[in-house]
Amino acid sequence: MLTNRQLQVLQVIIDEFIHSAQPIGSRAIAKKNEITFSPATIRNEMADLEEMGFIEKTHTSSGRVPSEKGYRFYVDHLISPFQLSQGEMNTIQRTFEKEMVEFEQIVQKSAGILSDLTNYTSIVLGPGVFDTTLKQIQIVSMSNISAVAILITNTGHIEHRFFNVPAGIKTSDLEKLVNILNDRLVGVPIIELREKLYGEVTILLKQHSDDFATTYSYLKEALLEEQPVKLYVGGKTNIMMQPEFKDINKIQSLYTIMEQEDLIANLLRSSDKGIQVSIGHENKLDEMQGCSLITATYSLGGEQMGTIALLGPTRMEYSRVISVLNVLSRRLSKTFHSWY
Amino acid sequence: MLTNRQLQVLQVIIDEFIHSAQPIGSRAIAKKNEITFSPATIRNEMADLEEMGFIEKTHTSSGRVPSEKGYRFYVDHLISPFQLSQGEMNTIQRTFEKEMVEFEQIVQKSAGILSDLTNYTSIVLGPGVFDTTLKQIQIVSMSNISAVAILITNTGHIEHRFFNVPAGIKTSDLEKLVNILNDRLVGVPIIELREKLYGEVTILLKQHSDDFATTYSYLKEALLEEQPVKLYVGGKTNIMMQPEFKDINKIQSLYTIMEQEDLIANLLRSSDKGIQVSIGHENKLDEMQGCSLITATYSLGGEQMGTIALLGPTRMEYSRVISVLNVLSRRLSKTFHSWY
DNA sequence: TTTAGCACTCATTGATAAAGAGTGCTAACA
DNA sequence: TGTTAGCACTCTTTATCAATGAGTGCTAAA
């Protein structure tokens, strides 16, 4: 549909605009080495490209700027694979070589790398409960009336929940309770926990004293509490360096939306496998107009575990960002794979 | 040193400026009810106040603006106690009434209240290790080569540290180890942990096998890891609403400094008991020029536990902020007191 | 001692002009 | 017939200038 020459022109416009953030005129395009035709010819092509909706003018006599449709086309057809420099690869390598035994830590580090390497804002969604199973439950009594349950999953994730204990419950009772729970629950996938706790285990505990049942009901509640999602954001201030965000109101609305972790977490969680690019209006959130969000998933044994993402202006270094995400998501998958 | 009339004028200037963020002229001052003298008189007084350094002009024929010295004087001598509205008191009350069993939770909520109530940015330093003692250590084996130690303090704070386990160590060995540790360490103040671990316990464990000693050395390292400080920041975007921060660079440098949690934590930790006000240059950090930081401490049984703070422009609603901090720090102290 | 009056200063605003970048169209060219 | 040079035109940006208005400092009168 597009002629070869139009493709060339479009590519130059977007490449240039991504780096300069300035509208590109026909003269500037003609100066490029790979362009062998005159500004007048380019103007004709640009008129066509504009008619097709790939580029826009900021005013009647301005140079051209890519439209969102233009970016979409660029991402789908024009970007060339980007090679990270040896130095950058080394940085990543070194970070992952450091012995890390903790899930959270590695995920957090990744957020840092992403934003440092791209100068955009990174968002990393920690591994979900997808195929994690319960490894152990422990209960520690804190006082006469309260105790804390500690949940440990096979992925090394640890959580604790406080709960109330009825008066008169002895430590030995708690121990008995925790033994029963461990008996029944170790190895159970987290997502099936609710079902087990309400079914099987409840029935089993019916045989015991009332106090026991009350304790269990408190504990059950604590165990089933929705845990706030873990979201790691890196390079939050990077966004302020982009000229399209020199306006404080834009920044403020973006920051405000980013503080709603649930929202962002859901956004990332629902992202499809592999690299996904959402440009401007393709994002559902109004606050993200003018932004692009690029996501990549990481996985363990084919099972999708979490998502890493970069947020920047629609005028984004797509090819660079995509390869950084690619490298890092593979790296993450590999690391997790080597653990389990 | 200052005449009554000068005090009055100074007070009006600062009060007004705090609310309008605009230089105040003599005419505007004369219009105030409590002012009974003419603009010309006020101009004379203002000239004097300026000479003494309490107020400044933005240019030769502008109205006056408080200087930092002016704010300092205002805070020390002029502010009148401020009463929170009944509604605001209720908000606080309601938040604290909700049953909260967790340290972190209550501290985090406090940060939220502070920023909501003042429209500034709140920073809350969670309770330090000051007089917390170890309640229990648990160890859970994660794989052949790694395990996790879980530390529980008497204040309900829970932490976990991963560590490597030499090949050949059995679960029963770990149990033995943890029993020894609990025997020796329960009730020990966290700040003495290092000493104990290196002294007494190391000696005690010398008797056991080499494997045991190796395991212990890994574990010891993990236990003594510096834990990153817990800092809760609320209403980060509030700062963007202040007209003095319409400049994106200023915002960026402030955000960047606030991301250095260690720095901020140290700043707060070193703050003196009670309410402390640092105005503009009184702050040590360059990035905080033009800002005021007001801190309040909360305590348990006379022992200082942590700090809550509000950060805003030097043009801050001091009287309101101070009373909010007062109310909240007392409330926090009270809550913690009722727990232990 | 206080205040009215007045000249003066400076920021802000709007209007106007000049410069410059870029376009679209037309006509000439290969 | 596709390509290009030329040119009139549009629109932004920047500078300059004048008018307005808020506010001051000083002087002299009350």
Side-chain angles (χ1 to χ4, degrees):
Chain A
M1 209 156 44
L2 284 176
T3 68
N4 232 348
R5 204 163 57 188
Q6 286 170 341
L7 288 177
Q8 256 187 82
V9 171
L10 183 57
Q11 171 126 36
V12 170
I13 290 177
I14 301 188
D15 280 342
E16 286 295 300
F17 185 70
I18 283 176
H19 287 105
S20 70
Q22 296 295 327
I24 317 297
S26 54
R27 232 177 80 90
I29 297 175
K31 279 205 189 108
K32 294 245 86 180
N33 284 337
E34 66 265 36
I35 299 293
T36 55
F37 23 91
S38 77
T41 312
I42 293 169
R43 281 203 287 281
N44 287 328
E45 300 293 16
M46 289 207 288
D48 289 349
L49 285 169
E50 183 172 4
E51 210 169 321
M52 291 184 273
F54 292 117
I55 55 179
E56 294 167 347
K57 285 192 278 199
T58 60
H59 57 86
T60 34
S61 71
S62 77
R64 300 309 208 290
V65 154
S67 67
E68 291 186 1
K69 184 177 172 187
Y71 283 125
R72 170 49 62 198
F73 187 87
Y74 178 82
V75 167
D76 290 344
H77 303 110
L78 292 178
I79 47 176
S80 38
F82 181 94
Q83 263 297 343
L84 291 191
S85 78
Q86 196 53 46
E88 291 167 330
M89 290 302 274
N90 287 344
T91 309
I92 299 177
Q93 188 60 26
R94 248 178 287 123
T95 311
F96 276 80
E97 262 169 9
K98 289 209 190 96
E99 196 148 331
M100 287 187 288
V101 274
E102 217 170 335
F103 237 85
E104 327 279 330
Q105 198 185 1
I106 202 168
V107 166
Q108 190 156 18
K109 280 262 163 74
S110 300
I113 295 181
L114 277 175
S115 55
D116 286 351
L117 241 45
T118 60
N119 281 315
Y120 299 117
T121 296
S122 66
I123 311 175
V124 175
L125 182 65
V129 289
F130 303 103
D131 70 346
T132 54
T133 60
L134 194 63
K135 188 170 186 81
Q136 191 162 354
I137 296 183
Q138 304 226 346
I139 294 183
V140 178
S141 160
M142 294 303 294
S143 71
N144 286 337
I145 55 157
S146 69
V148 57
I150 301 173
L151 302 175
I152 304 164
T153 71
N154 66 330
T155 56
H157 183 71
I158 294 186
E159 270 178 32
H160 60 272
R161 315 279 173 86
F162 287 87
F163 65 100
N164 288 326
V165 178
I169 284 283
K170 284 168 295 184
T171 311
S172 61
D173 291 332
L174 285 178
E175 267 169 31
K176 224 181 288 172
L177 181 57
V178 83
N179 283 338
I180 296 175
L181 288 178
N182 273 319
D183 250 24
R184 296 286 155 167
L185 297 178
V186 167
V188 166
I190 299 291
I191 33 176
E192 294 171 22
L193 205 56
R194 169 174 295 270
E195 192 188 331
K196 288 264 180 188
L197 283 174
Y198 273 101
E200 202 174 315
V201 181
T202 301
I203 293 162
L204 186 70
L205 285 172
K206 279 268 165 64
Q207 312 157 9
H208 292 80
S209 74
D210 273 359
D211 271 358
F212 222 81
T214 317
T215 312
Y216 175 63
S217 75
Y218 290 155
L219 172 59
K220 190 168 60 182
E221 216 172 284
L223 291 181
L224 292 175
E225 254 171 33
E226 270 311 323
Q227 197 58 8
V229 238
K230 288 281 172 166
L231 205 63
Y232 302 89
V233 179
K236 254 192 191 169
T237 56
N238 284 353
I239 237 170
M240 300 194 207
M241 303 189 309
Q242 303 296 340
E244 30 272 276
F245 296 108
K246 62 183 187 316
D247 173 30
I248 201 112
N249 291 316
K250 183 74 194 158
I251 291 275
Q252 190 175 1
S253 78
L254 250 184
Y255 268 65
T256 307
I257 200 82
M258 299 232 300
E259 276 178 10
Q260 303 192 35
E261 301 210 340
D262 297 1
L263 201 68
I264 305 294
N266 278 330
L267 198 70
L268 293 200
R269 208 196 315 278
S270 65
S271 65
D272 286 337
K273 209 172 157 161
I275 302 268
Q276 302 296 329
V277 182
S278 297
I279 300 167
H281 284 81
E282 297 172 9
N283 285 300
K284 296 213 183 82
L285 299 175
D286 276 357
E287 290 81 355
M288 284 201 190
Q289 295 322 321
C291 295
S292 283
L293 182 72
I294 310 192
T295 62
T297 54
Y298 59 92
S299 52
L300 174 58
E303 193 76 40
Q304 187 173 320
M305 281 183 95
T307 309
I308 61 183
L310 282 164
L311 178 69
T314 47
R315 182 188 61 78
M316 212 184 197
E317 285 190 78
Y318 291 98
S319 87
R320 169 165 242 281
V321 162
I322 287 173
S323 39
V324 171
L325 283 173
N326 246 325
V327 168
L328 217 73
S329 68
R330 271 205 289 267
R331 196 65 241 212
L332 270 175
S333 299
K334 213 161 115 191
T335 305
F336 288 135
H337 182 76
S338 77
W339 284 5
Y340 309 111
Chain B
M1 211 156 45
L2 284 176
T3 68
N4 233 348
R5 205 161 60 188
Q6 287 170 339
L7 289 178
Q8 257 188 81
V9 170
L10 183 57
Q11 170 126 37
V12 170
I13 290 176
I14 301 188
D15 281 342
E16 287 294 301
F17 185 71
I18 284 175
H19 287 105
S20 71
Q22 297 295 328
I24 317 296
S26 54
R27 232 176 79 88
I29 297 174
K31 279 208 187 104
K32 295 246 83 182
N33 283 338
E34 66 265 36
I35 300 292
T36 54
F37 24 91
S38 75
T41 312
I42 293 169
R43 282 202 288 280
N44 287 327
E45 299 293 16
M46 291 205 290
D48 289 349
L49 286 170
E50 183 172 3
E51 210 170 321
M52 290 184 274
F54 292 117
I55 54 180
E56 293 167 348
K57 285 193 277 200
T58 59
H59 57 86
T60 35
S61 71
S62 77
R64 299 310 209 289
V65 153
S67 68
E68 292 186 2
K69 185 176 171 190
Y71 284 124
R72 170 49 63 198
F73 187 85
Y74 177 81
V75 167
D76 290 342
H77 303 110
L78 291 178
I79 46 174
S80 37
F82 182 92
Q83 263 298 341
L84 291 191
S85 78
Q86 196 53 48
E88 291 167 331
M89 290 302 275
N90 287 345
T91 309
I92 299 177
Q93 187 59 27
R94 248 179 286 125
T95 310
F96 275 81
E97 261 168 9
K98 288 209 190 94
E99 196 148 328
M100 289 187 288
V101 273
E102 218 170 334
F103 237 84
E104 327 278 330
Q105 199 185 0
I106 202 168
V107 166
Q108 191 156 17
K109 281 263 163 74
S110 302
I113 294 182
L114 277 175
S115 55
D116 286 352
L117 242 43
T118 60
N119 281 314
Y120 298 117
T121 296
S122 67
I123 312 174
V124 174
L125 181 65
V129 290
F130 302 103
D131 69 346
T132 54
T133 60
L134 194 64
K135 187 168 186 81
Q136 191 163 353
I137 295 182
Q138 303 226 345
I139 294 183
V140 177
S141 160
M142 295 302 296
S143 71
N144 285 337
I145 55 156
S146 68
V148 57
I150 301 173
L151 302 176
I152 304 163
T153 71
N154 65 330
T155 56
H157 183 72
I158 295 186
E159 271 178 32
H160 59 271
R161 316 281 172 84
F162 287 87
F163 65 100
N164 287 326
V165 177
I169 284 282
K170 283 168 295 186
T171 310
S172 61
D173 291 332
L174 285 179
E175 267 169 31
K176 224 181 288 169
L177 180 57
V178 83
N179 284 337
I180 297 174
L181 288 178
N182 274 319
D183 251 23
R184 295 286 157 169
L185 297 178
V186 166
V188 167
I190 299 292
I191 34 177
E192 293 172 21
L193 204 57
R194 170 173 294 270
E195 190 188 332
K196 288 265 180 187
L197 284 173
Y198 272 102
E200 199 173 315
V201 182
T202 302
I203 293 163
L204 186 70
L205 287 169
K206 280 267 166 64
Q207 312 156 9
H208 292 81
S209 74
D210 274 358
D211 271 357
F212 222 81
T214 317
T215 311
Y216 176 64
S217 75
Y218 290 154
L219 172 61
K220 188 168 61 183
E221 216 172 284
L223 291 182
L224 291 176
E225 253 172 32
E226 269 311 321
Q227 195 61 7
V229 237
K230 288 280 172 166
L231 205 61
Y232 301 89
V233 179
K236 254 192 192 169
T237 56
N238 284 353
I239 233 168
M240 299 194 205
M241 302 188 309
Q242 303 296 340
E244 31 270 278
F245 295 108
K246 62 185 190 314
D247 173 31
I248 202 111
N249 292 316
K250 183 74 195 161
I251 291 275
Q252 190 175 2
S253 78
L254 250 185
Y255 267 67
T256 307
I257 199 82
M258 299 231 300
E259 275 178 12
Q260 302 194 35
E261 300 210 340
D262 297 359
L263 201 66
I264 305 292
N266 278 330
L267 198 68
L268 292 200
R269 211 197 313 281
S270 65
S271 65
D272 286 336
K273 208 172 158 160
I275 302 269
Q276 301 296 329
V277 182
S278 297
I279 299 166
H281 284 83
E282 298 171 7
N283 286 300
K284 299 213 181 79
L285 299 174
D286 276 356
E287 289 81 356
M288 286 202 190
Q289 295 323 320
C291 296
S292 283
L293 182 71
I294 310 191
T295 62
T297 54
Y298 58 92
S299 51
L300 174 58
E303 194 76 40
Q304 185 173 322
M305 281 183 96
T307 309
I308 61 183
L310 282 165
L311 178 69
T314 47
R315 182 188 61 79
M316 213 185 199
E317 285 189 77
Y318 291 99
S319 86
R320 169 165 243 282
V321 161
I322 288 173
S323 39
V324 170
L325 283 173
N326 247 325
V327 169
L328 218 74
S329 69
R330 270 205 291 268
R331 195 67 242 212
L332 270 174
S333 300
K334 212 161 116 190
T335 305
F336 289 136
H337 182 77
S338 77
W339 285 4
Y340 310 112

